Amino acid sequence: MNIKAHSEGVSSVTYPPSSPNPSRHHSALSVVEVRNPAGTSEVDLEPVERDQIAPPSIRSVGEGVLEREYPPSVPREASNSHRKEYIQFAALCWSLYLEGWNDGSTGPLLPAIQNFYHIGFATVSLIFVSNCIASTGFLSGAVANVWLNDKLGLGKVLITLYMLCIITYSMQAPAGPFPVIVVGYCIGGFGIALQNAQANGFVSSLSGDTSMKLGLLHGAYGLGAFSAPLAATYFSGTRHWSFHFLISVGMAVLNTIVLSAVFRFQTQEEAMAEAGQAPGEPDTMRGSKYRHMMGQKSIHFLALFCLIYVGVEVRPSWIVTFIERERGGGPSSGYISSGFFAGLTIGRLSLLWINRKVGERRVLFIYALIAIGLEITIWAVPSLIENAVAVAIIGVLLGPMYPILVSHASRILPKWLITGAVGWIAGVGQAGSAVLPFTTGVLASKFGIGSLQPLLVTMMCVMVGLWALVPASHRRRE
């Protein structure tokens, strides 16, 4: 066989009549032109070898001359990697959907839980006390997240955490003694907090536009939180209110199956390599991750901001009760919770272009100040319709904040520290889903549910102050 290059990306492969040529249909000398769409010469491989790698398209261009056109192998491999990345991302979006479903279920069910167990604000707040106990677990879990991710791997951790969710919903579905419900919330809260840290750490480590990916990821959370009150409000008006958790059990089982099939107990590095992502910068010469994390003030400001934000974000835990008691909303008040989370989802998906145009750091201040103004109107204006509309708009404004927070962290923190740091920030933030609702319950038992609005206004003002302390992205430390 003789090979001669004619031009860029095209070469002639000439076979003697006696040589075996699988594509030759003539006894005369055969010339095969090899055309590579990528524009590079492929003369380094025998045609038979290339046929085994990527089957060509063959057509006759003259007597004894066949033209083989090979698809470029590198784009095909890149396509497979992109497909795998999309599958991984979709699996994590489904994971965040269940987290949103979990958080969106509590608010509409609180009045039903109070009526079923004949308990008041202080006692029903034990649900949040259990999460406060778990908040210690959130913090220890946020630290443990670094070790879990490094030692056990992303796949094993995610699957283990969703098994905890299955246990939680199985405990809650029969509507057993109230202490069982409380313990269930504690177990589930710990599992949800850590899986949130894992998902955010993984997505923030991906290459490309992380702001867009985080917006979509948390948009999935918003969809889950939006759809949960629609079901929970229906069940809250029935005798078997706890059957809502049967849906949650089924979703958690499906989530475990999906994550097992997609990540297959891989480490984060293995999963990212399979998706064509470059490995993160090694930190073997940098000492302890914990020491570096605790030594960066920006991480602590971001974590405190996240704690208050998550607490404000899960306002539907009590807003349904507020609307029922203070505005005479009736049993359908649970749908206001869906309105808030619908706004949250819309904000995360539709405001991405505004975030980029104005600047993520600057636009967060604008969103927060407008949200504070609307919160004051809910406090001061005793109108059911105005309050419902204001709650939904506040959801739109709060929606982009969490993705902006994680995206900003990925810009100002060293790359090798991002996964552990985002895990810590998200873990601390989840404590807010326990601390603020619990505080609301304590205040409501003493001053009434009307104390919810001044507490929210105060916390949102503190949140703005913390964001002002977070360094700008151009001050990134390596």
Side-chain angles (χ1 to χ4, degrees):
M1 179 187 70
N2 297 319
I3 301 175
K4 180 181 179 181
H6 293 291
S7 60
E8 184 178 6
V10 179
S11 60
S12 294
V13 184
T14 306
Y15 293 90
S18 60
S19 65
N21 179 10
S23 64
R24 182 165 57 88
H25 301 286
H26 304 278
S27 58
L29 186 68
S30 294
V31 178
V32 181
E33 288 189 350
V34 182
R35 300 184 183 274
N36 182 359
T40 58
S41 175
E42 297 291 347
V43 298
D44 57 323
L45 289 176
E46 294 285 339
V48 174
E49 293 176 293
R50 280 189 51 82
D51 290 357
Q52 294 171 350
I53 296 173
S57 59
I58 302 175
R59 66 188 182 93
S60 176
V61 293
E63 184 176 357
V65 178
L66 301 175
E67 183 181 79
R68 298 168 179 250
E69 186 168 353
Y70 291 91
S73 58
V74 173
R76 185 180 66 251
E77 294 171 1
S79 177
N80 291 336
S81 296
H82 285 312
R83 188 180 302 111
K84 184 62 178 179
E85 180 185 347
Y86 295 148
I87 293 173
Q88 291 174 347
F89 182 71
L92 291 176
C93 285
W94 171 242
S95 175
L96 263 289
Y97 180 91
L98 180 58
E99 181 182 343
W101 175 276
N102 179 83
D103 291 349
S105 298
T106 304
L109 292 177
L110 273 183
I113 293 173
Q114 286 183 278
N115 293 333
F116 184 82
Y117 291 105
H118 305 290
I119 53 179
F121 288 119
T123 305
V124 79
S125 291
L126 288 175
I127 289 175
F128 304 112
V129 171
S130 70
N131 274 332
C132 265
I133 294 172
S135 70
T136 305
F138 293 156
L139 299 179
S140 62
V143 176
N145 180 65
V146 179
W147 181 88
L148 288 170
N149 192 68
D150 290 344
K151 300 299 181 182
L152 298 182
L154 175 74
K156 292 180 181 178
V157 173
L158 285 175
I159 293 166
T160 301
L161 295 177
Y162 270 102
M163 291 179 68
L164 292 179
C165 292
I166 294 172
I167 294 172
T168 293
Y169 301 137
S170 298
M171 293 172 63
Q172 295 170 335
F178 184 67
V180 175
I181 302 293
V182 171
V183 172
Y185 272 101
C186 183
I187 296 173
F190 183 78
I192 289 289
L194 275 183
Q195 73 85 18
N196 178 280
Q198 290 285 330
N200 278 283
F202 182 84
V203 174
S204 62
S205 298
L206 296 175
S207 60
D209 189 352
T210 55
S211 297
M212 173 69 75
K213 293 171 183 174
L214 288 166
L216 293 173
L217 181 72
H218 291 280
Y221 170 93
L223 285 174
F226 162 73
S227 55
L230 300 178
T233 300
Y234 167 77
F235 282 103
S236 67
T238 67
R239 177 182 177 186
H240 301 290
W241 58 270
S242 63
F243 283 10
H244 171 80
F245 294 110
L246 292 176
I247 302 176
S248 303
V249 171
M251 294 174 62
V253 170
L254 179 58
N255 215 329
T256 304
I257 294 172
V258 169
L259 292 172
S260 300
V262 172
F263 290 100
R264 304 191 311 277
F265 305 100
Q266 294 173 318
T267 64
Q268 178 165 316
E269 290 73 19
E270 291 170 342
M272 293 183 71
E274 197 173 68
Q277 298 285 330
E281 180 184 353
D283 62 307
T284 54
M285 302 301 293
R286 296 181 180 269
S288 169
K289 283 186 178 180
Y290 299 109
R291 179 169 57 84
H292 282 279
M293 283 170 49
M294 297 301 106
Q296 297 207 28
K297 292 182 180 179
S298 57
I299 291 181
H300 301 303
F301 291 141
L302 288 167
L304 289 174
F305 175 91
C306 189
L307 184 147
I308 296 177
Y309 168 81
V310 173
V312 172
E313 183 189 61
V314 296
R315 67 178 52 225
S317 298
W318 283 111
I319 194 66
V320 175
T321 304
F322 173 84
I323 294 296
E324 281 191 6
R325 301 289 180 91
E326 299 294 316
R327 303 294 184 252
S332 298
S333 299
Y335 294 118
I336 290 180
S337 179
S338 281
F340 172 82
F341 285 118
L344 195 81
T345 305
I346 292 171
R348 286 176 175 174
L349 299 179
S350 65
L351 297 180
L352 285 170
W353 67 276
I354 294 181
N355 302 341
R356 291 178 179 178
K357 189 173 183 64
V358 178
E360 290 186 337
R361 176 178 167 79
R362 187 181 300 110
V363 81
L364 192 145
F365 286 113
I366 298 173
Y367 293 155
L369 292 175
I370 297 174
I372 290 172
L374 289 170
E375 197 68 59
I376 292 174
T377 67
I378 297 175
W379 180 4
V381 179
S383 167
L384 175 61
I385 296 177
E386 191 280 338
N387 289 180
V389 172
V391 166
I393 297 175
I394 290 173
V396 174
L397 297 169
L398 291 181
M401 291 187 183
Y402 198 104
I404 288 175
L405 165 70
V406 179
S407 176
H408 191 71
S410 68
R411 286 195 295 269
I412 67 174
L413 298 176
K415 288 185 177 181
W416 62 274
L417 198 59
I418 287 175
T419 299
V422 170
W424 166 258
I425 292 167
V428 173
Q430 281 301 116
S433 66
V435 175
L436 266 67
F438 168 64
T439 303
T440 301
V442 172
L443 292 175
S445 65
K446 186 173 183 179
F447 302 106
I449 193 61
S451 60
L452 172 65
Q453 300 311 316
L455 175 64
L456 287 174
V457 171
T458 302
M459 290 298 98
M460 292 167 74
C461 291
V462 174
M463 189 173 69
V464 172
L466 287 170
W467 188 247
L469 297 175
V470 176
S473 58
H474 68 274
R475 296 173 57 188
R476 177 174 187 147
R477 294 178 57 188
E478 295 294 340

